């Protein structure tokens, strides 16, 4: 493909980016080559990025392509440039916001991540991402309120809706003109998400183009689900991260042939003066041992305040940014210490305590309720902040970190593991519902796909991994663990070297969370 033609696409994408208050991008040589390769792939699916045109999707054609590169290689920048170019070409973006009625000539793009937190990282960079689960299942909309959504999206005339005044519709329209969010516009009209969405069902019709970020987290089953939905599937992933548990150190893109992979190898200017990424990439040196690496961390900490050599864990940070550990025994001890320094009672939770969703505990006959909980972001691995007891017995008010509508009320089973105790303490429990573990400390495996401004890495655990001499996919396990843990930090890395916990400087609170009403996570509460 002529290199000049994608350059024209980037100019159009930059113009679109300015219109959307996004910064135009300049791609490096390896990103431009990857862009050309992607453009050629999409051209085969009827999307001409060079000329900004689309044709109807061809039946029977399917492909999977992977874009791989380490942290700082520009995968997210490339994904964003491709998204903007596809938008300019007339491809509709399907997100967790609202999915309009299907049209025969419609071409679609969905940008996905495995968790709400990973999706929110993309949204903060101007890319309208949603979770994989939110695309596997589609909402069943209330017909009355769907008329409003179609009108706002420009697909239908202004509706007359029983119970809503013209003034309420005007508020919705004014909101949508400033922020193109259907849920936000409906909220401006006085409607809740639970008014608009009445249930969920498995997606019956395929979409078109799917971009999947953090694809190192995917397992084979998820990949097959996605291949059923997207004829054109592009995986963006980091080959240096940890593979999903149970996949023998392999990631789904490892099994693709070389002809189906595009590798980004350059570390970009915005990453070159980043001591956190410097440390992560230093782990690629085969001769580097753990003690040498720690000396490197200590040296960087002396010269740059973005790296901190910490003698103890910061308890205040743990409330929103978990300590990253390797061993479960370490995780449980740190959680116990965190609750102790906050004087948390054994029989109840304090508002502001962090949790991690451990799955949904519901029998098969409650499949619809399971789908509803998961669609609201309560999927395994989701980070949640406890906000207090719900209005119904067994319900908890929760803030789902990274979700577009973060505050929900759900039937919850909250478990707190304790050192030397086989059975967890259960200070809050419904008969069945979403299950949670405490989230003040998490394993590095569970932290994949997430980023925090400041990250605390518990170095004694990585030392233990180094001493154990274990490897994964041919690399020392401690190096893979350290790489993943370090690259979770956006701004500051705290390398904690002692098994100590500093006392908190402030009590737990939920004042920093958006103060919005919490819709019920499903309707038939009495059945729970």
């Amino acid at each position: 493909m002529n290199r000049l033609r994608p350059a024209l696409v980037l100019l159009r994408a930059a113009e679109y980016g300015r219109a959307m208050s996004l910064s135009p991008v300049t791609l490096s040589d390896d990103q431009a080559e990857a862009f050309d390769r992607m453009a050629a792939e999409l051209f085969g699916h009827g999307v001409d990025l060079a000329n900004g045109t689309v044709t109807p999707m061809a039946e029977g054609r399917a492909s999977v392509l992977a874009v791989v590169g380490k942290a700082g290689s520009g995968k997210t920048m490339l994904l964003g440039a491709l998204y903007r170019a596809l938008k300019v070409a007339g491809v509709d973006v399907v997100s967790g916001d609202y999915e309009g009625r299907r049209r025969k000539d419609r071409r679609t793009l969905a940008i996905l991540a495995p968790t709400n937190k990973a999706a929110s990282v993309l949204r903060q960079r101007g890319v309208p991402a949603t979770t994989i689960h939110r695309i596997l299942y589609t909402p069943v909309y209330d017909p009355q309120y769907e008329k409003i959504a179609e009108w706002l999206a420009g697909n239908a005339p202004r509706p007359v809706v029983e119970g809503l005044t013209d003034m309420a519709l005007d508020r919705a329209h004014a909101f949508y003109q400033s922020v193109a969010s259907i849920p936000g516009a409906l909220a401006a009209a006085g409607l809740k998400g639970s008014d608009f969405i009445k249930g969920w069902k498995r997606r019956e019709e395929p979409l078109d183009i799917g971009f999947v970020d953090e694809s190192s987290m995917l397992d084979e089953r998820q990949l097959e689900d996605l291949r059923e939905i997207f004829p054109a599937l592009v995986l963006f992933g980091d080959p240096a991260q940890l593979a999903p548990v149970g996949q023998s150190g392999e990631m789904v893109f490892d099994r693709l042939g070389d002809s189906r992979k595009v590798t980004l190898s350059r570390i970009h200017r915005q990453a070159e003066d980043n001591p956190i990424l410097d440390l992560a990439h230093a782990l690629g040196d085969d001769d580097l041992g753990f003690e040498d690496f720690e000396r490197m961390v200590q040296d960087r900490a002396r010269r740059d305040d973005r790296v901190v050599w910490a003698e103890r864990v910061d308890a205040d940070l743990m409330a929103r940014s978990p300590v990253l550990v390797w061993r479960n025994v370490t995780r449980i001890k740190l959680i116990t210490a965190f609750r102790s320094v906050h004087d948390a009672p054994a029989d109840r939770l304090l508002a502001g305590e962090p949790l991690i969703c451990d799955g949904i505990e519901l029998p098969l006959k409650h499949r619809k309720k399971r789908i509803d909980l998961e669609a609201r972001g309560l999927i395994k691995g989701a980070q949640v902040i406890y906000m207090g007891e719900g209005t119904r017995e067994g319900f908890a008010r929760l803030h789902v970190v990274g979700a577009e509508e973060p505050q929900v009320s759900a039937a919850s089973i909250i478990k707190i593991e304790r050192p030397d105790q086989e059975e967890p303490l259960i200070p809050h429990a419904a008969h069945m519902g979403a299950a949670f573990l405490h989230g003040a400390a998490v394993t590095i495996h569970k932290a994949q796909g997430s980023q925090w401004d400041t990250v605390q890495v518990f170095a004694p655990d990585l030392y233990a991994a180094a001493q154990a001499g274990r490897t994964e996919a041919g690399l020392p396990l401690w190096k893979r663990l350290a790489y993943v843990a370090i690259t979770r930090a956006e701004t500051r890395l705290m390398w904690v070297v002692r098994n100590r916990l500093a006392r908190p400087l402030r009590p737990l609170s939920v004042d920093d969370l958006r103060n919005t009403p919490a819709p019920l996570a499903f309707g038939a509460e009495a059945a729970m």
Side-chain angles (χ1 to χ4, degrees), residues 188-321:
L191 298 170
K192 301 194 298 287
S194 53
D195 295 325
F196 182 46
I197 297 175
K198 293 302 182 185
W200 302 85
K201 63 180 181 179
R202 180 83 180 194
R203 181 176 293 279
E204 296 171 352
E205 296 179 332
L207 288 172
D208 197 342
I209 303 163
F211 289 172
V212 186
D213 198 28
E214 296 290 351
S215 62
S216 58
M217 298 173 67
L218 294 183
D219 58 33
E220 287 292 342
R221 182 175 177 180
Q222 288 172 313
L223 179 61
E224 287 307 311
D225 284 341
L226 291 169
R227 292 182 76 162
E228 287 180 10
I229 293 172
F230 297 102
L233 189 62
V234 184
L235 310 177
F236 293 80
D238 185 339
Q241 291 199 23
L242 294 158
V245 176
Q247 286 199 187
S248 305
E250 275 195 328
M251 299 170 192
V252 291
F253 49 74
D254 290 335
R255 302 182 186 183
L256 299 176
D258 290 342
S259 65
R260 307 308 302 162
K261 291 182 193 173
V262 179
T263 301
L264 300 177
S265 54
R266 178 180 167 184
I267 304 304
H268 292 276
R269 185 171 57 196
Q270 66 270 25
E272 286 172 356
D273 186 35
N274 186 327
I276 297 169
L277 288 180
D278 285 346
L279 290 170
H281 291 297
L283 292 162
D285 182 351
D286 292 339
D287 297 326
L288 185 72
F290 182 83
E291 290 81 4
D292 295 330
F293 181 71
E294 278 216 316
R295 283 193 289 272
M296 188 181 294
V297 174
Q298 194 167 25
D299 179 62
R300 289 302 174 105
R302 292 192 194 102
R303 296 187 284 117
D304 196 313
D305 59 9
R306 290 173 289 180
V307 177
V308 179
W309 182 269
E311 295 289 337
R312 59 188 66 204
V313 176
D314 185 325
D316 290 316
L317 275 175
M318 291 172 76
R320 295 294 180 269
S321 176

Side-chain angles (χ1 to χ4, degrees), residues 30 33-35 37-38 65-69 78 258-264:
D30 64 343
E33 288 178 10
F35 188 100
R37 174 66 189 283
M38 299 281 288
L65 192 68
V67 178
V68 298
L78 176 62
D258 290 342
S259 65
R260 307 308 302 162
K261 291 182 193 173
V262 179
T263 301
L264 300 177

Side-chain angles (χ1 to χ4, degrees), residues 1-14 25 27 32 35-36 49-50:
M1 179 174 288
N2 188 327
R3 175 66 55 81
L4 294 176
R5 295 178 65 169
L8 294 175
V9 173
L10 286 179
L11 287 174
R12 286 197 292 269
V25 297
L27 299 186
F35 188 100
D36 287 4
L49 293 185

Side-chain angles (χ1 to χ4, degrees), residues 301-378:
R302 292 192 194 102
R303 296 187 284 117
D304 196 313
D305 59 9
R306 290 173 289 180
V307 177
V308 179
W309 182 269
E311 295 289 337
R312 59 188 66 204
V313 176
D314 185 325
D316 290 316
L317 275 175
M318 291 172 76
R320 295 294 180 269
S321 176
V323 184
L324 305 187
V325 305
W326 173 46
R327 298 176 294 187
N328 268 318
V329 63
T330 306
R331 178 178 63 84
I332 295 168
K333 285 180 178 178
L334 284 170
I335 288 168
T336 303
F338 173 83
R339 300 201 81 234
S340 176
V341 296
H342 279 290
D343 297 321
D347 60 347
R348 65 183 178 88
L349 289 171
L350 299 177
E353 291 197 60
L355 304 172
I356 296 288
C357 184
D358 196 40
I360 308 298
E361 296 188 4
L362 286 170
L364 288 175
K365 67 179 181 178
H366 291 298
R367 180 174 173 273
K368 287 185 177 179
K369 292 174 185 174
R370 173 187 294 275
I371 292 171
D372 189 59
L373 285 168
E374 291 176 340
R376 294 185 185 278
L378 296 176

